[in-house]
């Protein structure tokens, strides 16, 4: 694949960022793309490694044919590379921006800490395909007469909708918000992915026959049974929205919020949508973010852009090793010290730190009480300390899909975690004609996993409706 000796001759080169002092002044994407010639060089580094773990189950959930399109880019066959990439991934410009790239951790060259810059090449292919006009609507030549409803327009819902429309079905997407995208639009900040990427995909899908219904909170403004009665199949793709609640003492104080309402507000402002709730703004405040994941990191970056005086991130986990033991964990995703672009903008990070409670005055937060923890993550007596805080965000993940309304009315069985129960083969729930995919089925996960589940659910639904399918899994 690529240049046979490329991995020996060419060094790994990643995209650069705008300096932190510049990028915190705006919400736009700040990644500086590599020139085409350098992308070609990076693609040339893809070696003939025999077993390409990068696109196996540990590397790429959608099974992108990474060695193939690296080779095509190396040979300057960009349009064919884009065609190949789209055979497995409906939205590579999304994953090229927000995926944590488990493919690179699984790359054979990662044994020497120099993996191929797969994510960079993927984004470059997708961006060039849009720029050159290679991405066009692909409406079905023959209509099946079947009507499918999809609840939720996040990555799972969008991927399923596009696949089913191309199979000839009449697809209707019901979205609670005024615009499509789910947490791609309302959860992920613009500095990680600007929303025009979603808008042009929606236009493409509309041209393929997908009908979007906005401000449709199924189970609240429209009864769920109406969808089931008027469609041949219904797919639940509403995501995982119920936050994990630590129930901290003092959590009810003013200035303490779950992460998602804060991020949604910020994204609404950037998208020129009305914000009808009490504003949550970090300008001129000392901010504490509880949690060590991607959502917590998004809160950090958003707070800096709003003018926070300081941002401290609390992580109950011990400081991970700077480098993993390759022979013990490769090609799996390793636990090691990582610094996100938002953390690099000036966040203080506290590891092995338990959050004991919220302190305040007159009902308003003034600090977060913490303690160091032992190896079992239990607080160590005598290590308590208080961090100054004017604003606290709880970002410790999501427990399961939200139950009120849609799920309760559907009557679908739930698994032990509270998600809609369905396997990853048929994607069928306990209710006839009803399917589930994405985070609503598997629990909180990555965008790339949601795309995979949406595609596979489309395969299952088409097969159920027609008796056979040509859609890939």
């Amino acid at each position: 694949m690529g240049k046979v000796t490329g991995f020996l001759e060419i060094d790994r080169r990643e995209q650069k960022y705008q300096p932190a002092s510049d990028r915190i002044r705006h919400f736009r994407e700040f990644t500086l793309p590599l020139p085409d010639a350098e992308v070609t060089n990076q693609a040339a580094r893809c070696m003939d490694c025999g077993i390409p773990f990068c696109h196996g189950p540990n590397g790429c959930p959608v099974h992108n044919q990474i060695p193939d399109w690296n080779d095509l880019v190396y040979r300057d066959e960009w349009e064919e590379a884009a065609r190949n990439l789209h055979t497995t991934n409906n939205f590579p410009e999304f994953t090229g921006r927000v995926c944590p790239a488990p493919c690179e951790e699984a790359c054979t060259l990662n044994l020497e800490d120099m993996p191929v810059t797969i994510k960079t090449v993927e984004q470059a292919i997708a961006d060039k395909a849009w720029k050159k006009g290679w991405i066009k609507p692909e409406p079905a030549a023959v209509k099946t007469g079947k009507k499918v409803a999809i609840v939720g327009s996040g990555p799972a819902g969008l991927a399923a909708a596009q696949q089913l429309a191309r199979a000839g079905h009449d697809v209707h997407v019901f979205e609670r918000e005024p615009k499509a995208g789910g947490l791609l639009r309302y959860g992920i900040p613009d500095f990680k992915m600007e929303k025009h990427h979603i808008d042009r995909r929606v236009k493409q899908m509309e041209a393929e026959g997908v009908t979007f219904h906005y401000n449709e909170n199924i189970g609240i403004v429209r009864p769920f049974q109406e969808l089931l009665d008027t469609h041949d199949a219904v797919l639940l793709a509403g995501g995982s929205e119920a936050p994990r609640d630590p129930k901290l003492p003092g959590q009810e104080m003013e200035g303490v919020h779950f992460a998602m309402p804060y991020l949604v507000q910020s994204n609404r402002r950037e998208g020129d949508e009305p914000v009808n709730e009490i504003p949550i703004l970090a300008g001129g405040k000392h901010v504490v973010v509880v949690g060590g994941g991607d959502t917590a990191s998004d809160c950090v970056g958003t707070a800096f852009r709003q003018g926070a005086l300081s941002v401290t991130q609390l992580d109950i986990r011990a400081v991970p090793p700077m480098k993993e033991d390759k022979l013990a964990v490769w090609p799996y995703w390793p636990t090691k010290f990582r610094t996100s672009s938002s953390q690099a903008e000036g966040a203080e990070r506290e590891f092995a730190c338990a959050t004991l409670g919220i302190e305040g005055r007159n009902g308003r937060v003034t600090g977060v009480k913490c303690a160091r923890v032992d190896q079992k993550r239990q607080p160590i007596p005598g290590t308590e300390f208080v961090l100054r805080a004017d604003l606290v965000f709880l970002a410790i993940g999501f427990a399961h899909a939200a139950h009120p309304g849609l799920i309760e009315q559907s009557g679908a069985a739930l698994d032990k975690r509270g998600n809609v129960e369905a396997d990853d083969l048929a994607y069928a729930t306990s209710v006839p004609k009803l399917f589930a995919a994405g985070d609503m089925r598997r629990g909180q996960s990555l965008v790339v996993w949601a795309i995979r589940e949406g595609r596979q659910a489309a395969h299952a639904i088409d097969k159920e409706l027609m008796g056979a399918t040509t859609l890939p899994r």
Side-chain angles (χ1 to χ4, degrees):
M1 296 296 111
K3 186 178 182 181
V4 175
T5 57
F7 71 97
L8 296 171
E9 301 169 8
I10 303 168
D11 291 334
R12 173 182 165 93
R13 183 181 173 191
E14 300 180 70
Q15 293 174 318
K16 295 186 182 300
Y17 296 153
Q18 290 178 357
S21 58
D22 294 338
R23 67 182 189 249
I24 62 170
R25 301 176 187 276
H26 62 79
F27 276 85
R28 300 184 303 277
E29 292 180 17
F30 52 80
T31 302
L32 305 176
L34 295 178
D36 284 358
E38 186 56 49
V39 175
T40 299
N41 276 342
Q42 293 305 304
R45 297 184 64 245
C46 188
M47 62 187 295
D48 187 2
C49 56
I51 300 177
F53 288 97
C54 58
H55 68 81
N58 306 320
C60 181
V62 294
H63 301 299
N64 279 338
Q65 299 171 103
I66 295 164
D68 293 352
W69 43 256
N70 272 328
D71 184 58
L72 290 165
V73 169
Y74 167 63
R75 299 179 187 281
D76 202 31
E77 297 180 30
W78 286 81
E79 186 171 1
E80 180 61 20
R83 188 205 63 77
N84 184 298
L85 179 53
H86 279 87
T87 63
T88 56
N89 187 351
N90 295 70
F91 315 118
E93 69 275 25
F94 299 172
T95 51
R97 285 170 166 80
V98 303
C99 186
C103 53
E104 294 189 17
E105 296 291 350
C107 177
T108 301
L109 290 177
N110 191 40
L111 287 167
E112 295 292 333
D113 290 313
M114 294 292 283
V116 175
T117 51
I118 299 167
K119 180 178 174 180
T120 296
V121 177
E122 178 182 33
Q123 181 183 334
I125 294 171
D127 289 351
K128 181 179 279 290
W130 279 107
K131 183 178 180 180
K132 293 289 188 180
W134 298 333
I135 298 175
K136 299 175 182 177
E138 300 176 26
V142 179
K143 299 295 184 180
T144 65
K146 300 292 186 180
K147 190 176 181 182
V148 181
I150 297 175
V151 183
S153 65
L158 290 177
Q162 186 165 62
Q163 294 295 93
L164 288 166
R166 289 176 175 179
H169 302 303
D170 181 15
V171 179
H172 293 259
V173 178
F174 294 85
E175 169 54 50
R176 179 188 60 195
E177 301 293 342
K179 297 179 181 178
L183 290 189
L184 281 171
R185 183 181 297 275
Y186 294 102
I188 295 175
D190 278 22
F191 56 80
K192 290 178 71 174
M193 190 181 81
E194 295 175 10
K195 304 310 180 279
H196 65 86
H197 300 296
I198 304 170
D199 296 335
R200 63 189 180 188
R201 281 296 182 183
V202 169
K203 289 180 180 178
Q204 179 197 27
M205 293 170 65
E206 288 174 336
E208 293 172 345
V210 178
T211 303
F212 287 87
H213 304 267
Y214 298 115
N215 299 303
E216 287 274 6
N217 194 350
I218 304 301
I220 305 296
V221 301
R222 183 192 296 262
F224 167 78
Q225 191 62 39
E226 182 180 321
L227 259 62
L228 208 59
D229 291 343
T230 55
H231 295 79
D232 297 292
V234 177
L235 173 65
L236 302 181
S240 177
E241 295 189 300
R244 288 198 179 99
D245 189 349
K247 293 182 169 53
L248 299 171
Q251 186 177 311
E252 73 287 348
M253 289 190 188
E254 183 182 352
V256 182
H257 307 272
F258 286 107
M260 203 47 65
Y262 173 58
L263 294 175
V264 170
Q265 267 199 26
S266 178
N267 279 305
R268 288 197 198 282
R269 288 190 196 93
E270 292 305 307
D272 295 322
E273 292 185 32
V275 176
N276 299 319
E277 302 88 11
I278 297 173
I280 308 172
L281 295 166
K285 296 177 181 178
H286 297 280
V287 177
V288 173
V289 181
V290 181
D294 290 339
T295 301
S297 188
D298 290 344
C299 289
V300 170
T302 300
F304 278 130
R305 282 159 180 76
Q306 291 181 348
L309 294 178
S310 69
V311 181
T312 305
Q313 188 174 357
L314 308 182
D315 196 329
I316 198 169
R317 298 170 298 183
V319 180
M322 296 302 295
K323 183 178 178 180
E324 73 274 27
D325 181 350
K326 300 288 186 184
L327 296 181
V329 299
W330 180 88
Y332 298 95
W333 182 262
T335 298
K336 64 180 177 181
F337 190 86
R338 304 172 192 270
T339 300
S340 72
S341 59
S342 293
Q343 291 163 342
E345 290 164 359
E348 295 290 331
R349 302 169 69 182
E350 295 281 352
F351 289 95
C353 179
T355 307
L356 303 181
I358 308 297
E359 297 190 348
R361 187 180 303 111
N362 299 323
R364 173 83 199 179
V365 61
T366 59
V368 179
K369 186 177 180 181
C370 309
R372 299 299 171 192
V373 298
D374 57 24
Q375 291 183 343
K376 295 183 179 180
R377 297 184 180 179
Q378 297 302 308
I380 301 172
T383 64
E384 296 84 2
F385 62 98
V386 176
L387 288 171
R388 179 180 177 181
D390 307 305
L391 198 57
V392 178
F393 296 120
L394 306 176
I396 56 174
F398 301 88
H400 49 69
H403 295 161
L406 173 65
I407 293 180
E408 288 181 350
Q409 288 186 20
S410 75
L414 305 179
D415 65 18
K416 61 183 180 181
R417 296 178 300 161
N419 297 308
V420 178
E421 190 170 46
D423 64 33
D424 61 358
L425 183 62
Y427 287 89
T429 71
S430 60
V431 178
K433 295 176 26 179
L434 183 62
F435 301 80
D439 289 6
M440 187 168 269
R441 187 200 74 85
R442 67 179 289 117
Q444 69 169 53
S445 191
L446 304 176
V447 169
V448 67
W449 273 105
I451 293 173
R452 168 181 170 156
E453 295 223 345
R455 288 171 61 88
Q456 292 190 335
H459 170 100
I461 292 170
D462 188 40
K463 188 174 181 179
E464 177 70 19
L465 294 178
M466 307 305 294
T469 182
T470 57
L471 292 177
R473 278 198 90 243

Short mmCIF file of all heavy atoms in Angstrom, two decimals, residues 288-289 291-292 311-319 347-355 370-372 385 387:
data_model
loop_
_atom_site.label_atom_id
_atom_site.label_comp_id
_atom_site.label_asym_id
_atom_site.label_seq_id
_atom_site.Cartn_x
_atom_site.Cartn_y
_atom_site.Cartn_z
N VAL A 288 -14.91 25.29 37.15
CA VAL A 288 -14.46 23.95 37.47
C VAL A 288 -15.30 22.96 36.67
O VAL A 288 -16.53 23.04 36.68
CB VAL A 288 -14.57 23.64 38.97
CG1 VAL A 288 -14.25 22.17 39.25
CG2 VAL A 288 -13.63 24.54 39.77
N VAL A 289 -14.63 22.06 35.96
CA VAL A 289 -15.31 21.04 35.17
C VAL A 289 -15.03 19.68 35.81
O VAL A 289 -13.87 19.28 35.95
CB VAL A 289 -14.82 21.04 33.70
CG1 VAL A 289 -15.56 19.97 32.90
CG2 VAL A 289 -15.01 22.42 33.07
N GLY A 291 -15.00 15.87 35.50
CA GLY A 291 -15.01 14.84 34.47
C GLY A 291 -13.80 14.96 33.58
O GLY A 291 -13.25 16.05 33.39
N GLY A 292 -13.36 13.82 33.02
CA GLY A 292 -12.13 13.81 32.23
C GLY A 292 -12.29 13.44 30.79
O GLY A 292 -11.30 13.19 30.10
N VAL A 311 -9.86 27.82 34.32
CA VAL A 311 -10.63 26.59 34.15
C VAL A 311 -9.82 25.45 34.75
O VAL A 311 -8.65 25.23 34.39
CB VAL A 311 -10.92 26.29 32.66
CG1 VAL A 311 -11.75 25.01 32.55
CG2 VAL A 311 -11.64 27.45 32.00
N THR A 312 -10.44 24.72 35.66
CA THR A 312 -9.81 23.56 36.29
C THR A 312 -10.65 22.33 36.00
O THR A 312 -11.89 22.36 36.17
CB THR A 312 -9.68 23.75 37.81
OG1 THR A 312 -8.98 24.97 38.07
CG2 THR A 312 -8.94 22.58 38.44
N GLN A 313 -10.01 21.27 35.57
CA GLN A 313 -10.71 20.04 35.22
C GLN A 313 -10.34 18.96 36.23
O GLN A 313 -9.16 18.71 36.50
CB GLN A 313 -10.32 19.61 33.81
CG GLN A 313 -11.14 18.44 33.28
CD GLN A 313 -10.83 18.14 31.82
OE1 GLN A 313 -10.05 18.83 31.18
NE2 GLN A 313 -11.43 17.09 31.30
N LEU A 314 -11.36 18.31 36.79
CA LEU A 314 -11.16 17.30 37.82
C LEU A 314 -11.37 15.91 37.24
O LEU A 314 -12.38 15.65 36.58
CB LEU A 314 -12.14 17.52 38.98
CG LEU A 314 -12.20 18.93 39.58
CD1 LEU A 314 -13.16 18.95 40.75
CD2 LEU A 314 -10.81 19.39 40.02
N ASP A 315 -10.44 15.02 37.52
CA ASP A 315 -10.50 13.65 36.99
C ASP A 315 -10.22 12.70 38.14
O ASP A 315 -9.17 12.81 38.79
CB ASP A 315 -9.47 13.47 35.88
CG ASP A 315 -9.72 12.22 35.04
OD1 ASP A 315 -10.24 11.24 35.58
OD2 ASP A 315 -9.37 12.23 33.85
N ILE A 316 -11.15 11.78 38.40
CA ILE A 316 -10.97 10.86 39.52
C ILE A 316 -9.91 9.82 39.24
O ILE A 316 -9.36 9.18 40.14
CB ILE A 316 -12.32 10.18 39.88
CG1 ILE A 316 -12.25 9.59 41.30
CG2 ILE A 316 -12.69 9.13 38.83
CD1 ILE A 316 -13.59 9.14 41.83
N ARG A 317 -9.56 9.65 37.97
CA ARG A 317 -8.54 8.67 37.60
C ARG A 317 -7.14 9.16 37.94
O ARG A 317 -6.87 10.36 37.92
CB ARG A 317 -8.62 8.37 36.11
CG ARG A 317 -9.94 7.78 35.66
CD ARG A 317 -10.07 7.74 34.16
NE ARG A 317 -10.05 9.08 33.56
CZ ARG A 317 -10.19 9.33 32.28
NH1 ARG A 317 -10.37 8.34 31.43
NH2 ARG A 317 -10.17 10.58 31.83
N ALA A 318 -6.25 8.23 38.24
CA ALA A 318 -4.85 8.58 38.49
C ALA A 318 -4.22 9.07 37.18
O ALA A 318 -4.72 8.79 36.09
CB ALA A 318 -4.09 7.38 39.03
N VAL A 319 -3.12 9.78 37.29
CA VAL A 319 -2.42 10.23 36.09
C VAL A 319 -2.02 9.00 35.28
O VAL A 319 -1.31 8.12 35.78
CB VAL A 319 -1.17 11.05 36.45
CG1 VAL A 319 -0.45 11.50 35.18
CG2 VAL A 319 -1.55 12.26 37.28
N ALA A 347 -5.92 24.91 30.65
CA ALA A 347 -6.65 24.31 31.76
C ALA A 347 -5.70 23.72 32.79
O ALA A 347 -4.66 23.15 32.45
CB ALA A 347 -7.57 23.22 31.24
N GLU A 348 -6.09 23.86 34.05
CA GLU A 348 -5.41 23.15 35.13
C GLU A 348 -6.09 21.79 35.28
O GLU A 348 -7.32 21.71 35.26
CB GLU A 348 -5.50 23.93 36.44
CG GLU A 348 -4.76 25.26 36.43
CD GLU A 348 -3.25 25.08 36.40
OE1 GLU A 348 -2.77 24.05 36.93
OE2 GLU A 348 -2.56 25.95 35.85
N ARG A 349 -5.31 20.73 35.42
CA ARG A 349 -5.90 19.40 35.52
C ARG A 349 -5.51 18.76 36.85
O ARG A 349 -4.34 18.70 37.21
CB ARG A 349 -5.43 18.54 34.34
CG ARG A 349 -5.78 19.14 32.99
CD ARG A 349 -5.11 18.42 31.83
NE ARG A 349 -5.64 17.08 31.63
CZ ARG A 349 -5.18 16.23 30.69
NH1 ARG A 349 -4.17 16.59 29.91
NH2 ARG A 349 -5.72 15.04 30.55
N GLU A 350 -6.54 18.30 37.55
CA GLU A 350 -6.33 17.63 38.83
C GLU A 350 -6.69 16.16 38.66
O GLU A 350 -7.85 15.82 38.39
CB GLU A 350 -7.21 18.27 39.92
CG GLU A 350 -6.87 19.71 40.26
CD GLU A 350 -5.65 19.81 41.17
OE1 GLU A 350 -5.18 18.76 41.64
OE2 GLU A 350 -5.20 20.94 41.42
N PHE A 351 -5.71 15.28 38.82
CA PHE A 351 -5.94 13.84 38.71
C PHE A 351 -6.06 13.22 40.11
O PHE A 351 -5.69 13.83 41.11
CB PHE A 351 -4.81 13.17 37.95
CG PHE A 351 -4.79 13.48 36.47
CD1 PHE A 351 -4.00 14.52 35.98
CD2 PHE A 351 -5.56 12.75 35.58
CE1 PHE A 351 -3.98 14.81 34.62
CE2 PHE A 351 -5.55 13.03 34.24
CZ PHE A 351 -4.77 14.06 33.75
N ALA A 352 -6.58 11.98 40.15
CA ALA A 352 -6.78 11.27 41.41
C ALA A 352 -7.53 12.16 42.39
O ALA A 352 -7.18 12.29 43.56
CB ALA A 352 -5.45 10.82 42.00
N CYS A 353 -8.58 12.79 41.87
CA CYS A 353 -9.28 13.83 42.62
C CYS A 353 -10.77 13.50 42.67
O CYS A 353 -11.43 13.42 41.63
CB CYS A 353 -9.05 15.18 41.96
SG CYS A 353 -9.89 16.55 42.76
N ALA A 354 -11.30 13.29 43.87
CA ALA A 354 -12.72 13.04 44.05
C ALA A 354 -13.43 14.36 44.35
O ALA A 354 -12.89 15.23 45.04
CB ALA A 354 -12.95 12.07 45.20
N THR A 355 -14.62 14.52 43.82
CA THR A 355 -15.44 15.69 44.10
C THR A 355 -16.39 15.33 45.23
O THR A 355 -17.26 14.47 45.08
CB THR A 355 -16.23 16.12 42.85
OG1 THR A 355 -15.32 16.27 41.76
CG2 THR A 355 -16.96 17.42 43.10
N CYS A 370 -12.92 18.98 47.35
CA CYS A 370 -12.30 17.81 46.72
C CYS A 370 -11.42 17.07 47.72
O CYS A 370 -11.15 17.56 48.82
CB CYS A 370 -11.42 18.24 45.54
SG CYS A 370 -12.24 19.32 44.35
N ALA A 371 -10.96 15.88 47.31
CA ALA A 371 -10.00 15.11 48.10
C ALA A 371 -9.23 14.20 47.16
O ALA A 371 -9.73 13.82 46.09
CB ALA A 371 -10.70 14.29 49.17
N ARG A 372 -8.03 13.87 47.54
CA ARG A 372 -7.26 12.89 46.78
C ARG A 372 -7.84 11.50 47.02
O ARG A 372 -8.47 11.25 48.05
CB ARG A 372 -5.78 12.92 47.19
CG ARG A 372 -5.10 14.25 46.96
CD ARG A 372 -5.10 14.62 45.50
NE ARG A 372 -4.63 15.99 45.27
CZ ARG A 372 -4.76 16.62 44.13
NH1 ARG A 372 -5.35 16.03 43.10
NH2 ARG A 372 -4.31 17.86 43.99
N PHE A 385 -9.42 19.53 50.05
CA PHE A 385 -9.10 20.91 49.68
C PHE A 385 -10.28 21.49 48.92
O PHE A 385 -11.16 20.76 48.45
CB PHE A 385 -7.82 20.99 48.85
CG PHE A 385 -7.87 20.27 47.53
CD1 PHE A 385 -8.13 20.95 46.34
CD2 PHE A 385 -7.64 18.89 47.46
CE1 PHE A 385 -8.18 20.28 45.12
CE2 PHE A 385 -7.68 18.22 46.24
CZ PHE A 385 -7.95 18.91 45.08
N LEU A 387 -11.51 24.15 45.82
CA LEU A 387 -11.17 24.94 44.65
C LEU A 387 -12.18 26.07 44.49
O LEU A 387 -13.39 25.85 44.57
CB LEU A 387 -11.19 24.08 43.38
CG LEU A 387 -10.06 23.06 43.22
CD1 LEU A 387 -10.38 22.14 42.03
CD2 LEU A 387 -8.73 23.76 43.00
#
